[in-house]
Amino acid sequence: MIFALSGWLVGTMAFMRCSRQPSQSGEIRLVRRLAIGMAAALALSFAGISSPASAQVAGPPVAPPAPPDPPTPSPTQVNSDVSAGSQVLYLGSNFLERLGNQATNGFARSLRTNPDGGGASEATEAPRYRTWGELYGISMTTAPQADFVGDKRKTLGGVAGIGARVAPGVNIGFSVDQSHTAIDVPLALQSAGLDLTQFGFSASVDKGPWTWALALVHGFGNVSSSRDTGFGFASAHYGARVDGVLTELDYYWSLQQSRIVPKAAFEYVHSSTGAFQEFGGLDLLTVSGVSMERARLLAGAEIGHYWILDRKILDLLAYGKFIDNVTQNFGSALVNLGAQSIAVTGIGESRYGADVGAAASLSFSNTARVYLNYDGKFRSNLTSHQGTLGLELKF
Protein backbone atom coordinates (compact mmCIF):
# COMPACT_ATOMS: atom_id res chain seq x y z
CA MET A 1 0.00 0.00 0.00
CA ILE A 2 2.85 2.31 0.78
CA PHE A 3 4.41 1.68 -2.63
CA ALA A 4 1.10 2.47 -4.43
CA LEU A 5 0.65 5.63 -2.46
CA SER A 6 4.21 6.67 -3.22
CA GLY A 7 3.66 6.00 -6.90
CA TRP A 8 0.50 8.04 -6.91
CA LEU A 9 2.30 10.94 -5.22
CA VAL A 10 5.17 10.79 -7.72
CA GLY A 11 2.72 10.70 -10.68
CA THR A 12 0.76 13.60 -9.32
CA MET A 13 3.90 15.61 -8.88
CA ALA A 14 5.01 14.84 -12.48
CA PHE A 15 1.63 15.85 -13.87
CA MET A 16 1.74 19.07 -11.94
CA ARG A 17 5.19 19.82 -13.30
CA CYS A 18 3.98 19.33 -16.83
CA SER A 19 0.66 21.17 -16.56
CA ARG A 20 1.75 24.13 -14.46
CA GLN A 21 3.65 27.15 -15.49
CA PRO A 22 6.99 28.02 -13.93
CA SER A 23 5.19 30.67 -11.84
CA GLN A 24 3.59 27.86 -9.89
CA SER A 25 6.93 26.47 -8.56
CA GLY A 26 6.02 27.42 -4.94
CA GLU A 27 2.95 25.22 -5.02
CA ILE A 28 5.04 22.39 -6.40
CA ARG A 29 7.45 22.68 -3.51
CA LEU A 30 4.56 22.63 -1.06
CA VAL A 31 3.09 19.48 -2.53
CA ARG A 32 6.54 17.83 -2.48
CA ARG A 33 6.97 18.54 1.22
CA LEU A 34 3.51 17.23 1.94
CA ALA A 35 4.24 13.99 0.09
CA ILE A 36 7.52 13.46 1.89
CA GLY A 37 5.87 13.98 5.32
CA MET A 38 3.04 11.53 4.56
CA ALA A 39 5.52 8.91 3.35
CA ALA A 40 7.61 9.24 6.52
CA ALA A 41 4.52 8.93 8.79
CA LEU A 42 3.34 5.83 6.97
CA ALA A 43 6.82 4.24 7.20
CA LEU A 44 6.97 4.80 10.95
CA SER A 45 3.47 3.37 11.40
CA PHE A 46 4.43 0.27 9.43
CA ALA A 47 7.59 -0.18 11.47
CA GLY A 48 5.62 0.03 14.73
CA ILE A 49 3.09 -2.54 13.56
CA SER A 50 5.69 -4.97 12.22
CA SER A 51 8.06 -4.77 15.27
CA PRO A 52 7.30 -7.59 17.79
CA ALA A 53 9.14 -5.84 20.63
CA SER A 54 6.99 -2.72 20.27
CA ALA A 55 3.83 -4.79 20.23
CA GLN A 56 4.46 -6.34 23.65
CA VAL A 57 2.06 -5.41 26.45
CA ALA A 58 3.61 -4.26 29.78
CA GLY A 59 3.76 -7.07 32.40
CA PRO A 60 2.20 -7.04 35.90
CA PRO A 61 3.84 -4.78 38.54
CA VAL A 62 6.79 -6.32 40.45
CA ALA A 63 6.02 -7.05 44.13
CA PRO A 64 8.27 -5.21 46.67
CA PRO A 65 10.87 -7.37 48.50
CA ALA A 66 9.68 -9.12 51.69
CA PRO A 67 10.73 -7.45 54.96
CA PRO A 68 13.66 -9.15 56.79
CA ASP A 69 12.89 -11.72 59.49
CA PRO A 70 12.78 -10.28 63.02
CA PRO A 71 15.97 -10.88 65.08
CA THR A 72 16.07 -14.08 67.14
CA PRO A 73 17.88 -14.27 70.50
CA SER A 74 20.93 -16.49 70.81
CA PRO A 75 21.82 -18.61 73.88
CA THR A 76 25.30 -17.08 73.81
CA GLN A 77 23.83 -13.62 74.49
CA VAL A 78 23.11 -14.56 78.13
CA ASN A 79 26.30 -16.52 78.92
CA SER A 80 27.35 -14.10 81.67
CA ASP A 81 23.94 -14.43 83.35
CA VAL A 82 24.09 -18.23 83.12
CA SER A 83 27.54 -18.04 84.73
CA ALA A 84 26.28 -15.76 87.52
CA GLY A 85 23.44 -18.17 88.35
CA SER A 86 25.92 -21.04 88.53
CA GLN A 87 28.21 -19.02 90.81
CA VAL A 88 25.41 -18.34 93.29
CA LEU A 89 24.88 -22.09 93.67
CA TYR A 90 28.64 -22.70 93.88
CA LEU A 91 29.23 -20.12 96.64
CA GLY A 92 26.34 -21.47 98.71
CA SER A 93 27.79 -24.97 98.47
CA ASN A 94 31.29 -23.70 99.17
CA PHE A 95 30.25 -21.92 102.37
CA LEU A 96 28.35 -24.99 103.56
CA GLU A 97 31.38 -27.22 103.12
CA ARG A 98 33.71 -24.77 104.86
CA LEU A 99 31.32 -24.67 107.81
CA GLY A 100 31.24 -28.47 107.83
CA ASN A 101 35.03 -28.72 107.66
CA GLN A 102 35.37 -26.26 110.50
CA ALA A 103 32.86 -28.12 112.69
CA THR A 104 34.52 -31.50 112.11
CA ASN A 105 38.18 -30.46 111.78
CA GLY A 106 40.21 -33.20 113.43
CA PHE A 107 42.65 -30.85 115.14
CA ALA A 108 39.88 -28.65 116.49
CA ARG A 109 38.13 -31.75 117.78
CA SER A 110 41.29 -32.89 119.59
CA LEU A 111 41.54 -29.48 121.26
CA ARG A 112 37.93 -29.71 122.40
CA THR A 113 38.81 -32.84 124.37
CA ASN A 114 42.48 -32.02 125.14
CA PRO A 115 42.96 -28.25 124.79
CA ASP A 116 46.68 -28.24 125.73
CA GLY A 117 47.65 -30.89 123.16
CA GLY A 118 49.42 -34.20 123.61
CA GLY A 119 50.78 -34.88 127.07
CA ALA A 120 48.25 -32.64 128.79
CA SER A 121 45.43 -33.83 130.97
CA GLU A 122 42.14 -34.24 129.15
CA ALA A 123 40.46 -32.81 132.25
CA THR A 124 41.85 -29.36 131.41
CA GLU A 125 38.91 -27.02 130.91
CA ALA A 126 38.76 -25.64 127.39
CA PRO A 127 37.57 -22.05 126.75
CA ARG A 128 33.82 -21.98 126.22
CA TYR A 129 33.50 -19.31 123.52
CA ARG A 130 35.35 -18.64 120.33
CA THR A 131 35.33 -16.08 117.55
CA TRP A 132 37.05 -16.17 114.20
CA GLY A 133 37.69 -14.14 111.08
CA GLU A 134 38.81 -15.21 107.61
CA LEU A 135 39.92 -13.68 104.33
CA TYR A 136 39.76 -15.84 101.23
CA GLY A 137 40.17 -15.76 97.48
CA ILE A 138 38.88 -18.14 94.79
CA SER A 139 40.07 -18.55 91.22
CA MET A 140 37.77 -20.64 89.05
CA THR A 141 37.57 -21.69 85.41
CA THR A 142 34.55 -23.24 83.69
CA ALA A 143 35.02 -25.12 80.42
CA PRO A 144 32.78 -24.64 77.34
CA GLN A 145 29.67 -26.79 77.27
CA ALA A 146 26.78 -26.78 74.75
CA ASP A 147 25.99 -23.09 73.98
CA PHE A 148 28.13 -21.84 76.88
CA VAL A 149 31.56 -20.63 75.71
CA GLY A 150 33.34 -20.89 79.10
CA ASP A 151 34.33 -18.30 81.68
CA LYS A 152 36.79 -17.19 84.34
CA ARG A 153 35.67 -16.18 87.83
CA LYS A 154 37.55 -14.53 90.68
CA THR A 155 36.07 -14.15 94.15
CA LEU A 156 37.31 -12.20 97.17
CA GLY A 157 35.53 -12.50 100.49
CA GLY A 158 35.63 -12.41 104.23
CA VAL A 159 33.99 -14.32 107.07
CA ALA A 160 33.29 -13.37 110.67
CA GLY A 161 31.85 -15.78 113.22
CA ILE A 162 31.21 -16.57 116.84
CA GLY A 163 30.62 -19.92 118.53
CA ALA A 164 30.08 -21.52 121.89
CA ARG A 165 30.10 -24.86 123.70
CA VAL A 166 26.54 -25.14 124.94
CA ALA A 167 26.95 -28.55 126.60
CA PRO A 168 29.70 -31.13 126.97
CA GLY A 169 30.54 -32.24 123.43
CA VAL A 170 27.94 -29.92 121.85
CA ASN A 171 29.11 -26.84 119.93
CA ILE A 172 27.28 -24.26 117.82
CA GLY A 173 28.42 -21.36 115.67
CA PHE A 174 27.02 -18.42 113.72
CA SER A 175 28.88 -16.69 110.90
CA VAL A 176 28.43 -14.27 108.02
CA ASP A 177 30.20 -14.42 104.66
CA GLN A 178 30.47 -11.39 102.37
CA SER A 179 31.94 -11.87 98.89
CA HIS A 180 32.34 -10.23 95.50
CA THR A 181 32.82 -12.24 92.32
CA ALA A 182 34.05 -10.86 88.99
CA ILE A 183 32.93 -13.00 86.02
CA ASP A 184 34.58 -12.69 82.62
CA VAL A 185 33.20 -14.36 79.47
CA PRO A 186 35.71 -13.06 76.90
CA LEU A 187 34.58 -15.14 73.92
CA ALA A 188 31.06 -13.71 74.24
CA LEU A 189 32.22 -10.13 75.04
CA GLN A 190 30.36 -10.25 78.34
CA SER A 191 31.07 -9.75 82.03
CA ALA A 192 29.18 -9.76 85.32
CA GLY A 193 29.63 -8.97 88.99
CA LEU A 194 28.03 -10.81 91.92
CA ASP A 195 27.83 -9.43 95.45
CA LEU A 196 26.59 -12.10 97.86
CA THR A 197 25.91 -12.05 101.61
CA GLN A 198 25.47 -15.38 103.37
CA PHE A 199 24.51 -16.27 106.93
CA GLY A 200 25.59 -19.60 108.28
CA PHE A 201 24.78 -21.78 111.28
CA SER A 202 26.79 -24.83 112.31
CA ALA A 203 26.50 -27.39 115.09
CA SER A 204 28.49 -30.44 116.08
CA VAL A 205 28.03 -33.23 118.60
CA ASP A 206 30.97 -35.35 119.81
CA LYS A 207 30.15 -38.83 121.11
CA GLY A 208 33.18 -40.98 121.76
CA PRO A 209 35.12 -41.22 118.46
CA TRP A 210 32.07 -40.08 116.48
CA THR A 211 31.20 -36.54 115.45
CA TRP A 212 27.95 -35.49 113.81
CA ALA A 213 27.77 -32.03 112.26
CA LEU A 214 25.08 -29.87 110.66
CA ALA A 215 25.44 -26.68 108.62
CA LEU A 216 22.76 -24.33 107.28
CA VAL A 217 23.20 -21.39 104.88
CA HIS A 218 20.92 -18.61 103.67
CA GLY A 219 22.18 -15.95 101.29
CA PHE A 220 21.06 -13.11 99.07
CA GLY A 221 22.77 -10.73 96.69
CA ASN A 222 22.76 -8.74 93.49
CA VAL A 223 24.05 -9.38 89.97
CA SER A 224 25.17 -6.73 87.47
CA SER A 225 25.81 -7.93 83.92
CA SER A 226 27.14 -6.20 80.80
CA ARG A 227 27.05 -7.31 77.14
CA ASP A 228 28.80 -5.68 74.19
CA THR A 229 26.20 -5.38 71.39
CA GLY A 230 28.47 -3.63 68.86
CA PHE A 231 26.42 -0.43 69.34
CA GLY A 232 26.97 0.12 73.05
CA PHE A 233 26.69 -2.07 76.13
CA ALA A 234 23.45 -3.73 77.22
CA SER A 235 23.32 -3.88 81.03
CA ALA A 236 21.07 -5.53 83.60
CA HIS A 237 20.67 -5.67 87.38
CA TYR A 238 18.77 -8.37 89.28
CA GLY A 239 18.68 -10.26 92.58
CA ALA A 240 19.91 -13.68 93.68
CA ARG A 241 19.18 -16.05 96.58
CA VAL A 242 20.69 -19.28 97.90
CA ASP A 243 19.76 -21.77 100.64
CA GLY A 244 21.47 -24.98 101.63
CA VAL A 245 21.94 -27.68 104.23
CA LEU A 246 24.77 -30.13 104.91
CA THR A 247 24.98 -33.01 107.36
CA GLU A 248 28.19 -34.94 108.03
CA LEU A 249 29.27 -37.95 110.08
CA ASP A 250 32.95 -38.53 111.02
CA TYR A 251 34.91 -41.12 112.91
CA TYR A 252 38.02 -39.88 114.75
CA TRP A 253 40.85 -42.40 114.96
CA SER A 254 44.07 -41.21 116.63
CA LEU A 255 47.53 -42.69 116.98
CA GLN A 256 49.57 -40.59 119.42
CA GLN A 257 49.89 -37.20 117.66
CA SER A 258 48.56 -38.40 114.31
CA ARG A 259 44.99 -38.98 113.21
CA ILE A 260 42.83 -40.36 110.44
CA VAL A 261 39.26 -39.11 110.18
CA PRO A 262 36.96 -40.83 107.63
CA LYS A 263 34.08 -38.55 106.57
CA ALA A 264 30.72 -38.97 104.84
CA ALA A 265 28.29 -36.14 104.10
CA PHE A 266 25.11 -35.21 102.25
CA GLU A 267 24.50 -31.72 100.85
CA TYR A 268 21.52 -29.97 99.26
CA VAL A 269 21.62 -26.44 97.78
CA HIS A 270 18.91 -24.40 96.04
CA SER A 271 19.52 -21.04 94.34
CA SER A 272 17.59 -18.60 92.18
CA THR A 273 18.16 -15.45 90.14
CA GLY A 274 15.52 -12.86 89.31
CA ALA A 275 14.03 -11.75 85.99
CA PHE A 276 15.49 -8.70 84.26
CA GLN A 277 15.17 -6.31 81.32
CA GLU A 278 18.34 -5.02 79.67
CA PHE A 279 18.92 -1.34 79.01
CA GLY A 280 21.34 0.46 76.68
CA GLY A 281 22.92 -1.00 73.55
CA LEU A 282 21.11 -2.82 70.73
CA ASP A 283 18.73 -5.81 70.59
CA LEU A 284 17.77 -5.62 74.26
CA LEU A 285 16.71 -8.85 75.96
CA THR A 286 14.04 -9.66 78.51
CA VAL A 287 14.95 -12.73 80.57
CA SER A 288 12.85 -14.68 83.06
CA GLY A 289 14.02 -15.76 86.49
CA VAL A 290 15.57 -19.19 86.93
CA SER A 291 16.07 -21.68 89.79
CA MET A 292 18.79 -24.29 90.25
CA GLU A 293 19.25 -27.10 92.76
CA ARG A 294 21.74 -29.84 93.51
CA ALA A 295 21.98 -32.77 95.90
CA ARG A 296 25.23 -34.65 96.35
CA LEU A 297 27.16 -37.15 98.43
CA LEU A 298 30.70 -36.55 99.70
CA ALA A 299 32.95 -39.30 101.05
CA GLY A 300 36.62 -39.12 102.00
CA ALA A 301 39.09 -38.79 104.82
CA GLU A 302 41.36 -36.35 106.60
CA ILE A 303 44.85 -37.22 107.80
CA GLY A 304 46.86 -35.01 110.12
CA HIS A 305 49.70 -34.70 112.57
CA TYR A 306 50.67 -32.08 115.13
CA TRP A 307 53.91 -31.10 116.85
CA ILE A 308 54.43 -29.26 120.13
CA LEU A 309 57.13 -26.62 119.71
CA ASP A 310 58.00 -24.43 122.68
CA ARG A 311 54.45 -24.57 124.07
CA LYS A 312 53.06 -23.84 120.61
CA ILE A 313 51.22 -26.43 118.52
CA LEU A 314 51.84 -26.76 114.79
CA ASP A 315 49.29 -28.91 113.00
CA LEU A 316 49.35 -30.03 109.35
CA LEU A 317 46.53 -31.85 107.62
CA ALA A 318 45.43 -32.99 104.18
CA TYR A 319 42.08 -34.29 102.97
CA GLY A 320 40.46 -35.79 99.92
CA LYS A 321 36.80 -36.35 99.06
CA PHE A 322 34.97 -38.14 96.28
CA ILE A 323 31.97 -36.18 94.96
CA ASP A 324 28.81 -37.66 93.46
CA ASN A 325 26.27 -35.08 92.28
CA VAL A 326 23.33 -37.45 92.42
CA THR A 327 20.75 -34.84 91.38
CA GLN A 328 21.23 -31.59 89.47
CA ASN A 329 18.58 -29.29 88.05
CA PHE A 330 20.21 -26.46 86.11
CA GLY A 331 16.97 -24.59 85.45
CA SER A 332 15.83 -22.96 82.20
CA ALA A 333 15.40 -19.25 81.48
CA LEU A 334 13.07 -17.82 78.81
CA VAL A 335 15.00 -15.26 76.73
CA ASN A 336 12.89 -12.79 74.72
CA LEU A 337 13.97 -10.45 71.93
CA GLY A 338 10.94 -8.60 70.59
CA ALA A 339 8.37 -11.23 69.57
CA GLN A 340 10.97 -14.01 69.40
CA SER A 341 11.92 -16.19 72.39
CA ILE A 342 14.08 -19.20 73.23
CA ALA A 343 14.73 -21.31 76.34
CA VAL A 344 18.30 -21.39 77.69
CA THR A 345 19.41 -24.08 80.17
CA GLY A 346 21.89 -23.29 82.93
CA ILE A 347 25.24 -24.96 83.55
CA GLY A 348 26.44 -27.10 86.43
CA GLU A 349 29.14 -29.52 87.45
CA SER A 350 29.91 -32.93 86.04
CA ARG A 351 28.35 -35.72 88.07
CA TYR A 352 31.62 -37.03 89.52
CA GLY A 353 34.59 -35.13 90.85
CA ALA A 354 37.07 -34.73 93.67
CA ASP A 355 37.83 -32.18 96.37
CA VAL A 356 41.31 -32.00 97.87
CA GLY A 357 42.83 -29.68 100.42
CA ALA A 358 45.53 -28.99 102.96
CA ALA A 359 45.87 -26.78 106.02
CA ALA A 360 48.53 -25.50 108.40
CA SER A 361 47.58 -24.27 111.86
CA LEU A 362 49.72 -22.65 114.55
CA SER A 363 48.29 -22.36 118.07
CA PHE A 364 50.14 -19.84 120.22
CA SER A 365 48.14 -20.94 123.26
CA ASN A 366 44.82 -22.59 123.95
CA THR A 367 43.14 -19.24 123.17
CA ALA A 368 44.77 -18.04 119.92
CA ARG A 369 45.33 -19.80 116.61
CA VAL A 370 46.17 -18.73 113.04
CA TYR A 371 45.62 -21.01 110.08
CA LEU A 372 46.14 -21.16 106.33
CA ASN A 373 43.97 -23.41 104.14
CA TYR A 374 43.98 -24.54 100.53
CA ASP A 375 40.87 -26.08 98.93
CA GLY A 376 40.72 -27.39 95.39
CA LYS A 377 37.70 -28.62 93.46
CA PHE A 378 38.18 -30.66 90.31
CA ARG A 379 35.40 -31.62 87.89
CA SER A 380 35.54 -32.53 84.21
CA ASN A 381 34.14 -29.08 83.31
CA LEU A 382 35.28 -26.97 86.28
CA THR A 383 38.42 -26.24 88.27
CA SER A 384 38.53 -24.12 91.43
CA HIS A 385 41.38 -23.10 93.75
CA GLN A 386 40.81 -21.34 97.07
CA GLY A 387 43.16 -19.94 99.67
CA THR A 388 42.03 -18.90 103.18
CA LEU A 389 43.84 -17.05 105.96
CA GLY A 390 42.14 -17.16 109.36
CA LEU A 391 42.47 -16.16 112.99
CA GLU A 392 40.61 -17.84 115.86
CA LEU A 393 40.38 -16.54 119.42
CA LYS A 394 38.87 -18.39 122.37
CA PHE A 395 37.67 -17.09 125.70
Side-chain angles (χ1 to χ4, degrees):
M1 181 182 69
I2 292 177
F3 294 108
L5 182 59
S6 300
W8 178 80
L9 288 173
V10 172
T12 301
M13 291 170 60
F15 173 78
M16 290 178 67
R17 281 197 300 268
C18 295
S19 60
R20 298 280 181 168
Q21 297 296 324
S23 62
Q24 296 176 326
S25 59
E27 294 180 6
I28 293 173
R29 286 193 297 270
L30 178 61
V31 173
R32 182 183 299 159
R33 291 172 183 169
L34 180 62
I36 293 172
M38 291 178 64
L42 289 173
L44 292 174
S45 298
F46 179 78
I49 293 172
S50 60
S51 174
S54 301
Q56 289 181 357
V57 180
V62 179
D69 294 334
T72 301
S74 165
T76 308
Q77 290 178 301
V78 291
N79 270 191
S80 63
D81 304 292
V82 169
S83 180
S86 173
Q87 184 69 4
V88 175
L89 190 74
Y90 173 86
L91 290 178
S93 175
N94 181 272
F95 190 32
L96 273 177
E97 292 172 19
R98 285 187 287 129
L99 288 175
N101 288 341
Q102 187 179 63
T104 61
N105 178 277
F107 178 65
R109 187 191 189 284
S110 67
L111 291 183
R112 289 198 293 265
T113 57
N114 192 4
D116 288 331
S121 170
E122 293 191 3
T124 303
E125 179 70 17
R128 184 171 184 179
Y129 302 99
R130 64 188 179 95
T131 183
W132 69 93
E134 297 177 348
L135 295 175
Y136 66 88
I138 304 173
S139 177
M140 180 174 171
T141 301
T142 307
Q145 45 190 295
D147 296 310
F148 183 74
V149 299
D151 66 20
K152 296 181 179 179
R153 313 176 198 173
K154 295 186 182 300
T155 301
L156 293 176
V159 177
I162 187 169
R165 187 181 71 256
V166 295
V170 180
N171 298 272
I172 61 172
F174 299 91
S175 56
V176 58
D177 181 316
Q178 179 66 51
S179 65
H180 173 77
T181 301
I183 301 171
D184 185 23
V185 191
L187 295 182
L189 302 179
Q190 298 171 29
S191 62
L194 167 64
D195 292 296
L196 188 65
T197 301
Q198 299 183 83
F199 295 94
F201 167 78
S202 62
S204 65
V205 178
D206 301 327
K207 187 67 173 178
W210 296 94
T211 297
W212 172 77
L214 174 72
L216 302 173
V217 162
H218 170 71
F220 54 88
N222 295 289
V223 179
S224 299
S225 63
S226 178
R227 178 171 62 90
D228 189 349
T229 66
F231 293 90
F233 288 88
S235 301
H237 303 291
Y238 50 96
R241 295 174 63 91
V242 63
D243 296 282
V245 58
L246 177 143
T247 181
E248 183 172 314
L249 183 64
D250 300 355
Y251 184 86
Y252 185 90
W253 180 59
S254 63
L255 179 61
Q256 296 181 352
Q257 294 176 201
S258 300
R259 64 186 180 276
I260 298 177
V261 187
K263 299 170 177 282
F266 172 80
E267 172 195 302
Y268 174 79
V269 184
H270 177 276
S271 69
S272 62
T273 53
F276 63 88
Q277 165 71 59
E278 290 184 326
F279 58 92
L282 183 69
D283 292 338
L284 302 181
L285 304 174
T286 301
V287 182
S288 68
V290 64
S291 297
M292 301 178 65
E293 61 180 351
R294 178 173 61 218
R296 64 185 177 191
L297 299 173
L298 305 90
E302 168 195 322
I303 59 173
H305 184 87
Y306 69 87
W307 295 264
I308 300 176
L309 307 171
D310 192 23
R311 300 190 61 82
K312 299 178 179 62
I313 304 175
L314 174 64
D315 181 81
L316 299 179
L317 70 83
Y319 73 85
K321 295 179 182 179
F322 171 75
I323 309 299
D324 181 0
N325 293 308
V326 293
T327 301
Q328 294 190 92
N329 180 1
F330 303 147
S332 181
L334 188 63
V335 181
N336 300 279
L337 176 56
Q340 304 295 314
S341 63
I342 60 173
V344 177
T345 303
I347 60 171
E349 299 180 1
S350 57
R351 174 165 182 178
Y352 301 112
D355 291 357
V356 298
S361 170
L362 180 62
S363 298
F364 299 100
S365 65
N366 67 343
T367 60
R369 177 173 76 99
V370 294
Y371 52 93
L372 182 65
N373 299 343
Y374 164 77
D375 300 282
K377 299 182 183 298
F378 301 91
R379 313 289 188 265
S380 65
N381 56 359
L382 176 154
T383 303
S384 171
H385 304 280
Q386 175 173 340
T388 303
L389 176 64
L391 171 65
E392 180 183 61
L393 301 175
K394 298 180 180 180
F395 54 95

